[in-house]
Amino acid sequence: MTDLETRVAPPRAPLPRRAVVALLGYAGVRALGLAVLFAWSAARGKSGFTLLTARWDALWYARVAELGYGYEVRLPNGDVHSNLAFFPLLPWLERLLHALTPLSYGGAGFAVSLAASLAAAAGIYAVAELVHGSRVGVCAVLLWAVLPVGIVQSMAYSESLFTALAAWSLYAVLTGRWVSAGALAALAGLTRPVGVAVVAAVWTAGVLSFGRERGAKRTPGALLPSYASRWRRALGMLLAPLGAAGYVLWVGHRTGAGPLGYLDVQAGWRNGFDGGHAFARFVADKFSSFPSALAGLGLIAGVALLVWLYVICVRDRQPVELLVYTGVVLALALCASSYFGSKPRLLMPAFPVLLPLARALARPRTLRSALVTAALAVAAAAYGAFWLNGSGPP
């Protein structure tokens, strides 16, 4: 074979360059959402920036950043809302940015979320591109951007930060970067309770990998990873749970309630895991009258859609790491007894469930996909502005 007959694959561009289209599209969708929010809020005599940085959970994060832990509110019904329920990574970053810039704590949280949302979009692209290719990667990012509650991605909340850490941890696992995967999983565990989903993904991948190696040892001539490679995998698995476990144990020590003290803190907020019983009862109660029955049907349809998409993910043979992660996120969101209005944003980190829709969106011509995405972006921007100027997230 001559040199002319030898085909050499051209080198791929670096990942940041490959993700440019996805990131520009994401930034455009988020800019539209913020513009509509600020205009809508101004028309109602409200501050869009205040809605993003100084209401609901954003206030709790800012208080932790400013004063630390130990604040609680006792409600007339006996419930105790303690700021120990809020994991520390976002407040730590808010405190750091506040110390380095003129930003308020809430403003620092907004800046962290903006940066983290771009990092999350890049991570989602990286995972989707690895599994299904570049076009699906772009579509997955845009679908995540146009979620009905996508405005939360720009709030001083922890969803964007968590999704960024989770996505890059999953990408690290899929590409064999075990120490990075474990470190990012540990940081995700310091961000939200659902960090256990990232830990579960890392551990599942690690256990299966060790199992495959054990089987390969019985195969003559099989290539086995080096001793150093196995140690990096073990180190990554050891690092993964340190964030979540460390904070939960610290809360238990601080409250004097032992290792499960964090569950008592969550109980004070009426949060817990009941297998979906409370959510099912909430949906059933919607059928007590005709107007609310429509909402009940919508909730059932939404849950059915999520289950259907997850089944498609299984049929598409997504990597087991993604299936485990998504399954845990869905289970924790749908089967928790928390405030039911928060469930849509709790589901936001389950981005792999969007991959079947991204594949479908990637099939038509570019113009058709662009028109569909633009229509969804406008609808999401309008809903986000309406939502934050109304009930908003808890």
Side-chain angles (χ1 to χ4, degrees):
M1 181 177 290
T2 66
D3 291 339
L4 291 177
E5 294 173 41
T6 303
R7 295 182 178 271
V8 179
R12 300 184 73 191
L15 180 58
R17 189 180 302 174
R18 302 200 305 271
V20 164
V21 173
L23 293 179
L24 288 176
Y26 178 81
V29 172
R30 289 274 39 86
L32 174 63
L34 291 175
V36 172
L37 170 66
F38 279 87
W40 192 306
S41 301
R44 293 174 57 87
K46 295 182 179 181
S47 167
F49 188 72
T50 298
L51 294 175
L52 293 169
T53 64
R55 291 195 66 187
W56 304 293
D57 288 3
L59 287 173
W60 287 89
Y61 283 117
R63 184 180 289 273
V64 173
E66 181 179 7
L67 303 174
Y69 287 104
Y71 176 77
E72 62 183 28
V73 175
R74 295 184 177 272
L75 304 183
N77 65 356
D79 291 344
V80 178
H81 289 184
S82 168
N83 64 0
L84 290 169
F86 296 88
F87 277 50
L89 185 57
L90 177 58
W92 286 347
L93 294 175
E94 288 179 347
R95 181 180 298 178
L96 176 62
L97 196 55
H98 171 76
L100 297 176
T101 68
L103 292 172
S104 66
Y105 290 105
F110 176 67
V112 169
S113 288
L114 287 183
S117 67
L118 287 172
I124 292 170
Y125 173 84
V127 171
E129 183 206 40
L130 187 66
V131 177
H132 293 300
S134 178
R135 189 177 176 90
V136 175
V138 172
C139 292
V141 170
L142 293 177
L143 286 174
W144 192 68
V146 302
L147 290 173
V149 294
I151 191 65
V152 174
Q153 297 163 16
S154 301
M155 296 182 68
Y157 272 43
S158 60
E159 272 78 7
S160 290
L161 179 60
F162 174 79
T163 304
L165 294 168
W168 283 111
S169 178
L170 292 170
Y171 180 76
V173 168
L174 291 170
T175 54
R177 298 173 172 89
W178 290 99
V179 176
S180 296
L184 290 167
L187 291 174
L190 284 171
T191 307
R192 297 187 63 82
V194 74
V196 298
V198 190
V199 177
V202 172
W203 270 75
T204 299
V207 169
L208 291 177
S209 183
F210 277 119
R212 285 192 295 268
E213 288 177 12
R214 195 169 183 177
K217 288 180 180 179
R218 304 189 184 96
T219 304
L223 293 177
L224 297 175
S226 66
Y227 182 77
S229 176
R230 291 195 295 270
W231 268 105
R232 285 194 295 270
R233 186 188 314 147
L235 178 58
M237 294 175 67
L238 290 174
L239 288 173
L242 293 184
Y247 182 68
V248 167
L249 292 175
W250 178 80
V251 170
H253 174 73
R254 183 183 175 100
T255 60
L260 300 181
Y262 183 76
L263 298 181
D264 295 335
V265 172
Q266 286 283 14
W269 286 81
R270 293 187 180 268
N271 291 336
F273 187 86
D274 64 356
H277 179 263
F279 186 42
R281 189 171 63 249
F282 173 79
V283 174
D285 289 343
K286 292 293 183 182
F287 291 92
S288 59
S289 62
F290 172 71
S292 63
L294 298 178
L297 291 173
L299 289 171
I300 292 174
V303 173
L305 174 62
L306 286 172
V307 173
W308 177 63
L309 289 174
Y310 186 72
V311 170
I312 294 178
C313 291
V314 175
R315 289 178 177 175
D316 286 346
R317 296 185 178 181
Q318 276 189 12
V320 66
E321 299 89 337
L322 300 186
L323 294 176
V324 169
Y325 167 77
T326 306
V328 175
V329 174
L330 293 178
L332 291 178
L334 295 176
C335 298
S337 58
S338 57
Y339 176 69
F340 303 109
S342 66
K343 290 192 180 296
R345 70 177 179 88
L346 296 180
L347 290 164
M348 191 180 300
F351 67 89
V353 82
L354 297 174
L355 294 186
L357 295 177
R359 293 182 68 189
L361 185 62
R363 290 194 191 107
R365 295 178 179 177
T366 302
L367 178 60
R368 188 182 305 175
S369 298
L371 291 175
V372 171
T373 303
L376 292 174
V378 171
Y383 178 76
F386 168 77
W387 186 45
L388 288 198
N389 279 277
S391 61

